[in-house]
Amino acid sequence: MENLEVLKGVENFSLSEDDVKRIPNIMKLVVIYNVELIERVDCLSYLQCFSKLESLMLQFPWFVDRKYQLKMSFPPSLKKLYLDVPTNFELEDILPMLGSLPLLWRLRLDGGRFRTRKWETIEGQFRSLRLLALGGCGDLEDWTVLESSHFPLLEELHLLNLDELEEIPSEIGEIATLRSIILDSCNDSMVLSAKQILEQQQDLHGDELDLHVIVRLWEKDEDLLKLATSNFEVY
């Protein structure tokens, strides 16, 4: 098993120190946990021991006790991470840790909640991130990015079903590498903030504009449909 590099579709992986030693060269891991295992086995803290792990997908059940969330830890080798978490999963507990991963360039978060209803990014984090996707993250009302340098290499931003978030931080539009924004079933104010970001970029770059925005509406809205241009698609 020492040569095993990909392990996918595993349910209830009872990860321990011995397991890490048996499969030390894992590079891609896809695991689904259920309630019974999470309550019985402390396994999330051992993820950081996979020193060659580059791609990780974790899917959790409908409820995860916060004490297990606080034990989650990831190796610095991680480049791609997808977390499918329940609505009680508190994202503030892990976002600072994720932001400190030096090689992470692709991050997808599906589910979870912000207990403070706010997310303020920290300087010096997410230094390598190129794709950020947030879906169904409940209670997020205010996203603050103090400087565009907080996501210096961001190229793609995907936001899905963020009903309470009022706007995309204007600083996101100042990121030089940003190429696409995708809004899927977000509210009207989010769409308008994306339009404003695009217009600011057009003023700066004119015909050389590289930013493209795609908006997928939950329900057809004639006023929003009228905003469509070649760089601002609305469906």
Side-chain angles (χ1 to χ4, degrees), residues 64-121:
V64 177
D65 194 295
R66 190 176 178 222
K67 64 183 178 182
Y68 295 105
Q69 300 175 35
L70 296 174
K71 293 180 180 181
M72 292 183 71
S73 187
F74 305 99
S77 58
L78 203 60
K79 297 179 180 179
K80 302 178 184 179
L81 176 62
Y82 173 43
L83 294 179
D84 185 354
V85 297
T87 55
N88 77 308
F89 193 101
E90 298 186 355
L91 296 171
E92 290 102 327
D93 291 339
I94 64 167
L95 280 169
M97 175 175 50
L98 299 182
S100 65
L101 294 173
L103 303 179
L104 187 66
W105 70 272
R106 187 180 184 92
L107 174 61
R108 303 184 71 94
L109 297 175
D110 189 2
R113 64 181 292 268
F114 287 80
R115 64 179 177 275
T116 62
R117 298 184 176 271
K118 298 179 181 180
W119 180 26
E120 183 173 328
T121 56

Side-chain angles (χ1 to χ4, degrees), residues 33-215:
Y33 286 114
N34 63 31
V35 175
E36 289 76 17
L37 183 74
I38 292 298
E39 291 178 348
R40 182 167 47 86
V41 180
D42 176 19
C43 54
L44 300 178
S45 60
Y46 288 106
L47 289 169
Q48 65 176 326
C49 299
F50 287 117
S51 61
K52 297 184 180 181
L53 187 64
E54 296 183 357
S55 178
L56 174 64
M57 175 181 174
L58 293 177
Q59 182 177 337
F60 292 94
W62 59 273
F63 179 84
V64 177
D65 194 295
R66 190 176 178 222
K67 64 183 178 182
Y68 295 105
Q69 300 175 35
L70 296 174
K71 293 180 180 181
M72 292 183 71
S73 187
F74 305 99
S77 58
L78 203 60
K79 297 179 180 179
K80 302 178 184 179
L81 176 62
Y82 173 43
L83 294 179
D84 185 354
V85 297
T87 55
N88 77 308
F89 193 101
E90 298 186 355
L91 296 171
E92 290 102 327
D93 291 339
I94 64 167
L95 280 169
M97 175 175 50
L98 299 182
S100 65
L101 294 173
L103 303 179
L104 187 66
W105 70 272
R106 187 180 184 92
L107 174 61
R108 303 184 71 94
L109 297 175
D110 189 2
R113 64 181 292 268
F114 287 80
R115 64 179 177 275
T116 62
R117 298 184 176 271
K118 298 179 181 180
W119 180 26
E120 183 173 328
T121 56
I122 302 172
E123 184 177 359
Q125 296 203 330
F126 297 107
R127 305 301 297 175
S128 299
L129 199 65
R130 288 168 171 77
L131 182 144
L132 174 61
L134 300 177
C137 302
D139 303 322
L140 180 59
E141 296 179 352
D142 182 16
W143 179 15
T144 302
V145 178
L146 298 179
E147 297 180 11
S148 60
S149 60
H150 285 197
F151 296 94
L153 299 179
L154 189 66
E155 297 176 358
E156 302 177 58
L157 176 64
H158 299 181
L159 302 175
L160 170 66
N161 290 329
L162 299 182
D163 298 333
E164 299 188 38
L165 184 61
E166 292 298 321
E167 63 180 7
I168 302 170
S170 60
E171 291 79 7
I172 293 293
E174 299 172 4
I175 300 173
T177 56
L178 189 65
R179 296 294 177 266
S180 72
I181 298 175
I182 298 177
L183 302 182
D184 200 331
S185 301
C186 292
N187 59 48
D188 293 1
S189 62
M190 284 275 284
V191 176
L192 295 176
S193 70
K195 181 67 172 179
Q196 185 176 18
I197 286 174
L198 182 66
E199 290 175 345
Q200 291 173 346
Q201 289 294 306
Q202 286 176 324
D203 291 339
L204 290 174
H205 302 289
D207 294 337
E208 298 180 358
L209 178 68
D210 290 328
L211 179 61
H212 195 89
V213 178
I214 298 176
V215 178

